[in-house]
C-alpha cells in the first residue's frame, strides 16, 4: 500500500456520533466513515489516518461542548487541528454538485475547505477554567430563557383574572412575586387588607423598603375590581405555582452568578478586565468564553474589534469607493459584551469618567445614542486589548487607548 504524503480529515461533529472524511492533495476521498463519540473510536480513527498518510491535517466545524472529547483526544495525541466555521462550511457546500445534505457530504466539504484555505484558526487545548466558565454561562443563558418565558406566562395568567394587579408591578423583582405567590385574586387581597399584606410580605422576606408601597398598591387594585372573572380559582392556582417557580429560579440564578464570579476571578485576566469601566464578572466571563482566554488569534486590537463586528467593511464596486457597511459575520456574543460594557460605563457609577466624556463628545458630533455607544464600544476594545497585552490594570492615568493599541 502506497502511503500518501498528506491528507486532510474533515469531521462533522454530532452528539452521539461523528462522520469523518479524509481527502488527499488531489481532492480524492481516501476514506469516509462514521465514528462514535467516545475515546477509543477517535483513537482508532487517528491510527487509520496515520496509516494513510505521513502528515494529517484535522478540521472540525463546531468547537461546542459536544466536540470537547473529540478535540481533547486529537490534541492529546499531538494532532494538528483547525476550526472551519459553520458559515464557511455552508457557503462551500453550495459549490459542490447536488442539493442533498448528509453528514458524509458535510465532512467532505470541511476537509476540502481545510485543503484549499490556509487562513483558518488553529485549535489549542481548551483551558480547564475557561471550559468551566463556558458551561456555567451556557447554563445561565438557559435559566434566563426560562425566566423570561416564566415572567411572560405569569403576566398572561394574572392579566386574565386581575388586570389591574398585573399592570401595577414589575414581576422581574422578588417583592411582587412573593405577593402573588400567596395572594393574587381581588377577594384574597381585600380580605387580607393592607395590614395583612404587610405582615405576609414581611414574613416572607420581601424587600423591607418596598413592602408598604406594594401592599397599598395591591389593595387599591383589589378595591377597584369586585368581579370574579371566569376561571379565577384554577388560574389563581397556576399563578401561585408559577410565582413560586420564579422565586426559586431567581434564587438559583443569583447563586449561579456568585459561582461564575468566583470562577472568573481565578483567571489571570480577571483583575485587568474588571478594572475596565463597565466590565463586571458577568461580562468578563462572557469575554473569556468567546476569546478562549487568550489573545493568540487577535494579533491587533483591530482584529478583536472586527471579530466583535465593530469595524465597518468596504462594499466597493467599479467607481464607487469608500462605501462602508456593517459586517454580517461576527460574534454576536462578543459584540454584546462590549456594547453592554459601553452602556454600563456611562451610567451613574461613572458619571464623570472618561467613557461618559467620550460618549458626550460623540453625541455633540450629531451621532445618535446607538452610534455613540458603538463608537465607545470600539474604544473599549482598543483599551482592553492594550491592557491585556501589557498585563496592567486600567487607571485614570492610562494613555490614550487608540495610541496604545496601534
Amino acid at each position: 500500500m502506497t502511503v500518501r504524503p498528506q491528507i486532510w480529515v474533515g469531521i462533522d461533529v454530532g452528539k452521539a456520533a461523528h462522520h469523518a472524511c479524509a481527502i488527499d492533495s488531489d481532492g480524492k476521498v481516501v476514506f469516509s466513515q462514521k465514528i462514535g463519540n467516545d475515546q477509543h473510536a477517535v483513537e482508532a480513527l487517528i491510527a487509520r489516518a496515520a496509516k494513510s498518510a505521513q502528515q494529517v491535517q484535522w478540521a472540525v466545524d463546531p468547537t461546542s461542548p459536544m466536540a470537547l472529547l473529540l478535540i481533547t483526544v486529537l490534541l492529546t495525541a499531538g494532532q494538528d487541528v483547525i476550526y472551519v466555521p459553520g458559515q464557511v462550511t455552508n457557503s462551500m457546500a453550495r459549490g459542490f454538485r447536488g442539493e442533498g445534505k448528509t453528514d458524509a457530504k458535510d465532512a467532505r466539504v470541511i476537509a476540502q475547505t481545510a485543503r484549499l484555505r490556509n487562513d483558518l484558526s488553529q485549535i489549542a487545548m481548551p483551558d480547564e477554567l475557561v471550559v468551566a466558565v463556558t458551561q456555567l454561562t451556557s447554563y445561565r443563558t438557559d435559566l434566563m430563557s426560562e425566566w423570561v418565558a416564566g415572567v411572560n406566562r405569569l403576566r398572561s395568567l394574572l392579566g386574565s383574572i386581575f388586570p389591574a394587579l398585573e399592570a401595577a408591578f414589575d414581576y422581574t423583582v422578588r417583592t411582587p412575586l412573593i405577593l402573588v405567590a400567596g395572594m393574587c385574586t381581588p377577594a384574597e387581597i381585600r380580605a387580607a387588607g393592607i395590614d395583612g399584606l404587610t405582615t405576609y410580605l414581611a414574613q416572607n422576606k420581601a424587600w423591607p423598603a418596598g413592602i408598604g408601597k406594594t401592599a397599598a398598591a395591591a389593595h387599591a387594585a383589589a378595591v377597584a375590581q369586585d368581579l370574579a372573572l371566569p376561571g379565577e380559582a384554577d388560574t389563581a392556582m397556576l399563578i401561585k405555582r408559577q410565582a413560586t417557580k420564579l422565586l426559586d429560579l431567581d434564587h438559583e440564578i443569583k447563586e449561579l452568578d456568585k459561582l461564575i464570579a468566583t470562577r472568573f476571578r481565578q483567571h489571570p485576566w480577571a483583575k485587568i478586565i474588571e478594572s475596565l469601566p463597565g466590565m463586571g464578572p458577568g461580562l468578563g466571563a462572557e469575554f473569556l468564553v468567546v476569546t478562549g482566554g487568550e489573545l493568540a488569534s487577535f494579533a491587533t486590537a483591530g482584529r478583536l474589534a472586527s471579530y466583535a463586528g465593530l469595524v465597518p467593511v468596504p462594499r466597493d464596486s467599479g467607481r464607487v469607493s469608500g462605501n462602508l457597511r456593517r459586517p454580517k459575520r461576527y460574534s454576536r456574543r462578543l459584540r454584546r459584551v462590549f456594547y453592554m460594557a459601553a452602556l454600563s460605563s456611562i451610567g451613574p457609577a461613572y458619571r464623570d469618567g472618561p467613557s461618559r466624556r467620550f460618549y458626550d463628545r460623540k453625541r455633540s458630533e450629531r451621532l445618535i445614542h446607538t452610534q455613540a455607544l458603538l463608537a465607545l464600544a470600539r474604544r473599549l476594545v482598543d483599551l482592553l486589548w492594550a491592557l491585556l497585552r501589557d498585563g496592567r490594570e486600567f487607571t485614570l492615568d492610562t494613555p490614550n487607548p487608540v495610541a496604545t493599541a496601534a
Side-chain angles (χ1 to χ4, degrees):
M1 177 180 175
T2 302
V3 178
R4 296 177 176 84
Q6 182 174 6
I7 61 172
W8 290 260
V9 183
I11 303 180
D12 180 56
V13 176
K15 292 182 180 179
H18 314 308
H19 198 101
C21 179
I23 62 172
D24 60 18
S25 56
D26 296 325
K28 296 180 180 179
V29 175
V30 178
F31 64 81
S32 180
Q33 70 175 87
K34 185 177 182 179
I35 63 168
N37 188 16
D38 64 78
Q39 179 179 344
H40 296 302
V42 178
E43 289 174 343
L45 178 65
I46 295 173
R48 180 175 183 180
K51 291 179 181 179
S52 302
Q54 297 173 353
Q55 183 178 355
V56 183
Q57 173 70 72
W58 299 84
V60 299
D61 53 348
T63 53
S64 58
M66 63 183 177
L68 185 58
L69 174 63
L70 170 68
I71 293 172
T72 302
V73 174
L74 289 172
L75 294 177
T76 302
Q79 302 299 303
D80 189 26
V81 188
I82 59 176
Y83 169 53
V84 180
Q87 287 186 336
V88 174
T89 303
N90 292 335
S91 299
M92 288 289 292
R94 299 190 187 101
F96 288 78
R97 185 171 52 193
E99 297 182 9
K101 183 185 183 304
T102 64
D103 293 344
K105 181 178 179 180
D106 289 343
R108 183 162 61 92
V109 171
I110 294 168
Q112 292 282 16
T113 303
R115 182 177 70 90
L116 296 172
R117 294 183 56 168
N118 58 6
D119 59 343
L120 298 171
S121 301
Q122 294 282 335
I123 297 179
M125 182 66 76
D127 181 86
E128 184 172 351
L129 180 59
V130 174
V131 172
V133 173
T134 300
Q135 299 285 24
L136 292 172
T137 54
S138 178
Y139 182 60
R140 188 187 188 280
T141 299
D142 292 339
L143 291 185
M144 288 306 299
S145 297
E146 293 179 29
W147 170 262
V148 172
V151 170
N152 290 338
R153 189 179 302 115
L154 174 70
R155 299 194 77 106
S156 176
L157 290 168
L158 189 56
S160 68
I161 63 168
F162 200 171
L165 189 64
E166 186 275 332
F169 301 114
D170 175 10
Y171 291 96
T172 62
V173 293
R174 289 188 63 86
T175 299
L177 288 175
I178 293 172
L179 171 67
V180 298
M183 292 171 274
C184 62
T185 66
E188 288 176 329
I189 293 176
R190 284 197 304 269
I194 293 180
D195 291 339
L197 292 172
T198 301
T199 301
Y200 167 77
L201 291 172
Q203 289 176 345
N204 287 274
K205 300 180 180 179
W207 183 45
I211 289 177
K213 187 176 181 180
T214 300
H219 189 264
V223 170
Q225 180 179 327
D226 56 6
L227 281 176
L229 300 185
E232 181 183 87
D234 288 335
T235 304
M237 174 201 54
L238 295 176
I239 290 170
K240 292 174 183 178
R241 287 185 179 182
Q242 185 63 39
T244 302
K245 288 180 181 179
L246 286 172
L247 288 169
D248 292 339
L249 188 58
D250 177 66
H251 179 73
E252 185 177 3
I253 291 172
K254 289 177 179 176
E255 290 297 315
L256 185 60
D257 285 341
K258 293 178 182 178
L259 181 57
I260 290 173
T262 300
R263 293 289 183 269
F264 165 70
R265 287 172 178 150
Q266 294 173 357
H267 195 275
W269 285 359
K271 289 185 178 180
I272 298 174
I273 293 174
E274 284 198 270
S275 72
L276 191 71
M279 288 286 277
L283 291 177
E286 294 283 342
F287 179 78
L288 288 183
V289 171
V290 177
T291 61
E294 52 89 20
L295 291 178
S297 300
F298 309 104
T300 65
R303 288 190 180 180
L304 181 60
S306 178
Y307 189 57
L310 296 172
V311 177
V313 296
R315 193 171 187 177
D316 299 343
S317 179
R319 290 179 293 178
V320 178
S321 61
N323 186 16
L324 301 177
R325 63 168 176 82
R326 176 180 173 177
K328 294 182 179 180
R329 293 185 296 173
Y330 58 89
S331 172
R332 268 69 177 171
R333 197 172 185 179
L334 187 60
R335 184 186 180 94
R336 178 186 174 277
V337 167
F338 285 108
Y339 186 87
M340 295 303 297
L343 186 61
S344 298
S345 69
I346 63 172
Y350 305 96
R351 189 179 303 277
D352 299 321
S355 292
R356 184 73 207 194
R357 293 195 296 271
F358 180 88
Y359 171 83
D360 290 339
R361 177 161 61 85
K362 289 299 178 181
R363 290 304 304 272
S364 68
E365 296 172 3
R366 304 184 70 177
L367 294 183
I368 64 174
H369 171 70
T370 303
Q371 292 172 329
L373 274 182
L374 289 174
L376 177 57
R378 176 68 175 89
R379 178 181 183 271
L380 292 179
V381 171
D382 290 337
L383 179 54
L384 182 58
W385 186 90
L387 293 174
L388 293 174
R389 179 196 62 183
D390 298 339
R392 58 193 174 90
E393 298 178 28
F394 174 79
T395 65
L396 293 179
D397 298 328
T398 300
N400 186 314
V402 177
T404 306

